[in-house]
Amino acid sequence: MKKHLNNINASSLFHFTRKFNTLQSIIKNGLRFSFAFEHFSARAISNLDCPTNPDVVINTYTKEDVGVAIPMISFCDIPLTRTTEHIYKYGEYVIGFDKDFIIEKFSEIINPVIYIHSKNLKDAFDDISNIYSESHNSLCKQIIDYPDKGRLQKNNDELKKLTSRYIDRKFFIQFVIGLMKPYGDNNVCFYNEREWRAFIPNGMDYESEWKFGITKEYYDLNRNDWNIELSDANYYLTFEKELLTKGITHIVVRNESQIIKMIEIIMNSKKVFGNIGLSETERLVLTSKITSFKKIKKDY
């Protein structure tokens, strides 16, 4: 990665939250994955949700309000001095991570968001979802057409290749879904957020299973319960204690009075970012990264 960044970029990726208690939890346990909702066309969702017969389920979706909930962690790539609008939307409590460090450490799951505006790109994704549905049905047909009434033959190399190809295709199309976001919506320009995401691939287990074909209303009613399940299943992003002082670059609170409280948390907590056994020196280095938005506004 280039080291020379201009003023629309930051050398850190920042995660924002609204509550001081949430920032305390992050400092103690690490970043918790939580479900976020993204809209997609009814055609794409029906192909992905029910590839065997998408034309049946498409009629159950309202075209304007269907999508998928995905367990993720969001970051923004904006210098703190340019985050006024972001603060208003997402909160005045922030933890920052060295960009080079975190994208290398989690290279398989973290990536900038793909912002979509062009109708051609939307249509292209619908077409890709059609291909996914067709490949699903083609594989099912070939399995059924095999001898012994479709029983899988463990030593059949051709069948293994077909199955592996389908599994890969399913994984990759869902990876693309996890990174897609509209350019803007309802007079809001998401592109200005310069978002990066880390997310849990679908199919890991029940708690992290993606919720396809849901409405935003259904998501709003259920997301708290889903997020509690993720938390109970210990879905957190952390890294080794030896890397904390390198990886974490900023801990930002709202005002000066909260700095002392945050110092106390770092110095006295049994766990710091999911790790136990931190030395006093490591804890002191982390406290040196604490500041407040009030101070940032005053000094920059």
Side-chain angles (χ1 to χ4, degrees):
M1 175 168 290
K2 294 180 179 179
K3 298 295 183 180
H4 301 290
L5 303 173
N6 60 38
N7 62 2
I8 66 168
N9 297 104
S11 59
S12 297
L13 293 180
F14 298 106
H15 176 78
F16 285 68
T17 187
R18 294 188 179 278
K19 298 179 180 179
F20 185 53
N21 287 344
T22 304
L23 182 60
Q24 291 181 60
S25 177
I26 291 170
I27 295 301
K28 293 177 181 179
N29 302 307
L31 286 167
R32 188 190 75 173
F33 285 87
S34 58
F35 279 92
F37 179 84
E38 292 293 351
H39 286 102
F40 287 94
S41 73
R43 168 53 60 190
I45 290 296
S46 61
N47 283 331
L48 300 168
D49 188 24
C50 187
T52 304
N53 201 346
D55 290 330
V56 171
V57 300
I58 193 173
N59 296 321
T60 68
Y61 301 141
T62 43
K63 292 185 178 180
E64 297 80 17
D65 193 24
V66 63
V68 55
I70 302 169
M72 65 175 69
I73 299 168
S74 292
F75 306 87
C76 80
D77 182 14
I78 310 172
L80 288 176
T81 53
R82 296 168 56 95
T83 56
T84 302
E85 183 177 346
H86 210 80
I87 292 167
Y88 177 77
K89 291 172 63 177
Y90 299 107
E92 291 183 277
Y93 299 98
V94 181
I95 183 164
F97 302 90
D98 181 89
K99 186 190 293 182
D100 289 345
F101 167 82
I102 198 168
I103 65 177
E104 180 179 354
K105 178 70 176 174
F106 301 104
S107 60
E108 292 187 353
I109 64 169
I110 191 168
N111 204 79
V113 163
I114 305 166
Y115 290 101
I116 300 175
H117 175 68
S118 167
K119 183 180 183 300
N120 284 339
L121 187 54
K122 295 174 185 177
D123 291 344
F125 184 73
D126 284 353
D127 191 56
I128 291 170
S129 73
N130 284 331
I131 295 171
Y132 167 76
S133 177
E134 291 167 1
S135 68
H136 171 91
N137 292 326
S138 175
L139 176 64
C140 289
K141 183 178 185 305
Q142 291 181 69
I143 291 175
I144 292 171
D145 288 346
Y146 270 90
D148 300 324
K149 298 180 180 179
R151 230 179 286 164
L152 294 180
Q153 299 178 17
K154 294 182 179 179
N155 297 321
N156 190 304
D157 291 337
E158 183 182 356
L159 187 58
K160 287 180 181 178
K161 289 179 180 178
L162 288 171
T163 304
S164 177
R165 190 180 306 148
Y166 168 73
I167 291 172
D168 287 345
R169 184 168 290 162
K170 180 178 181 181
F171 174 82
F172 290 131
I173 193 171
Q174 291 184 352
F175 197 89
V176 172
I177 292 171
L179 293 171
M180 295 179 74
K181 191 177 184 74
Y183 172 84
D185 185 26
N186 297 326
N187 298 318
V188 176
C189 184
F190 297 125
Y191 180 76
N192 291 339
E193 297 175 356
R194 304 179 62 81
E195 182 181 352
W196 288 61
R197 285 179 182 171
F199 59 88
I200 305 172
N202 192 28
M204 298 290 287
D205 56 31
Y206 169 78
E207 290 83 3
S208 63
E209 185 177 349
W210 295 12
K211 321 298 181 184
F212 282 95
I214 63 172
T215 63
K216 181 62 163 58
E217 180 183 14
Y218 185 80
Y219 164 76
D220 289 336
L221 288 172
N222 291 277
R223 62 178 173 179
N224 287 338
D225 291 337
W226 296 339
N227 287 336
I228 289 171
E229 290 178 351
L230 276 180
S231 179
D232 291 343
N234 203 34
Y235 272 108
Y236 288 86
L237 186 149
T238 64
F239 40 83
E240 300 86 342
K241 65 179 182 178
E242 295 81 9
L243 301 174
L244 287 181
T245 56
K246 176 183 178 182
I248 296 176
T249 57
H250 298 75
I251 300 169
V252 186
V253 296
R254 178 183 293 165
N255 52 54
E256 300 289 290
S257 64
Q258 294 172 327
I259 291 178
I260 294 176
K261 177 63 176 175
M262 185 56 67
I263 290 173
E264 292 173 350
I265 291 167
I266 292 173
M267 295 305 298
N268 299 319
S269 292
K270 181 178 179 180
K271 290 195 302 181
V272 178
F273 213 69
N275 291 274
I276 60 174
L278 262 71
S279 69
E280 182 178 9
T281 299
E282 290 169 325
R283 292 172 187 265
L284 286 171
V285 172
L286 286 176
T287 64
S288 71
K289 301 173 188 288
I290 303 172
T291 189
S292 70
F293 266 116
K294 185 174 182 180
K295 186 172 178 62
I296 290 171
K297 291 174 183 176
K298 185 188 302 182
D299 293 344
Y300 297 96

